[in-house]
Amino acid sequence: MDAIEALKTRKSIRLYLAKPVPKEIIEDIIDCGRLAPTARGVEPWEFIVVTDVDTRRWIAKTTDFGGFIADTPVCVVVLCRDTKYYLEDGCAAAENILVAARAHGLGSCWVAGDKKPYAPAVCEKIGAPEGYKLISLLALGYAAENPSKAKRPLSSVLHWERF
Ligand SMILES: Cc1cc2nc3c(=O)[nH]c(=O)nc-3n(C[C@H](O)[C@H](O)[C@H](O)COP(=O)(O)O)c2cc1C
């Protein structure tokens, strides 16, 4: 699958098969995350791959809209050091991960991290040192659903030269 197809066919998946994701695929997906653009070349990110069922259940009940992580084979916790552009950098890495997952035939879903009241608790649970911010919790696995969601058409969002 080329990059354009992966971008155009990615969608949020919240129901997964109980089929493990091979370690080499997870590593390649995280490799794509770490190659994201980063302001001033800081690379403030860390990626914690959580497969442990107890930790996933804890995340599921701690988040407000991430209950499905309990039944998702992999949850990638994206953290960034608290730098000037931590949020932009972390989001760029997270998006790379979602698109790479799609290119590997996996489903994914971004669960909110930054700004959520549970962010510090998640950082503590996964053993992050002081000074790290939770960017997102990324569910990954083989999809067991094929949802469709209407999006704003190109003609309503694309403006040439001026708004
Ligand atoms: C910053 C951010 C936070 C999100 N948080 C959640 C969340 O907590 N739970 C969830 O199920 N989906 C979450 N999503 C996924 C969005 O609901 C989803 O991307 C949106 O509905 C568009 O659907 P699509 O991803 O299939 O294109 C989040 C997405 C973003 C970018």
Side-chain angles (χ1 to χ4, degrees):
M1 189 186 298
D2 70 17
I4 300 295
E5 189 185 353
L7 283 160
K8 289 194 171 183
T9 59
R10 182 217 56 82
K11 54 178 102 167
S12 291
I13 299 295
R14 300 178 179 88
L15 190 64
Y16 296 89
L17 302 176
K19 178 180 165 186
V21 181
K23 192 174 177 208
E24 314 77 65
I25 290 183
I26 297 173
E27 285 176 347
D28 195 50
I29 289 169
I30 302 299
D31 204 30
C32 292
R34 74 164 181 94
L35 293 169
T38 168
R40 300 169 170 173
V42 165
E43 303 178 46
W45 40 59
E46 306 289 336
F47 307 98
I48 295 87
V49 177
V50 176
T51 58
D52 175 69
V53 68
D54 291 334
T55 310
R56 285 190 288 106
R57 283 184 184 142
W58 182 91
I59 291 170
K61 70 174 178 359
T62 302
T63 54
D64 44 7
F65 297 106
F68 55 92
I69 287 175
D71 299 309
T72 299
V74 178
C75 175
V76 179
V77 182
V78 181
L79 302 178
C80 278
R81 268 189 298 112
D82 190 5
T83 56
K84 183 171 183 187
Y85 294 105
Y86 81 89
L87 189 54
E88 292 88 338
D89 288 357
C91 288
E95 176 66 6
N96 270 19
I97 288 172
L98 299 188
V99 177
R102 175 67 193 135
H104 273 291
L106 296 174
S108 66
C109 188
W110 182 315
V111 170
D114 188 70
K115 301 183 185 71
K116 287 289 191 180
Y118 54 73
V122 172
C123 288
E124 189 185 341
K125 178 75 177 174
I126 47 97
E130 279 289 301
Y132 279 82
K133 309 276 261 182
L134 176 67
I135 305 299
S136 58
L137 298 150
L138 304 177
L140 301 180
Y142 293 97
E145 64 171 353
N146 186 18
S148 59
K149 187 170 184 115
K151 296 267 174 133
R152 293 172 61 197
L154 181 64
S155 58
S156 85
V157 299
L158 172 62
H159 313 270
W160 291 98
E161 316 302 350
R162 285 176 61 81
F163 194 108

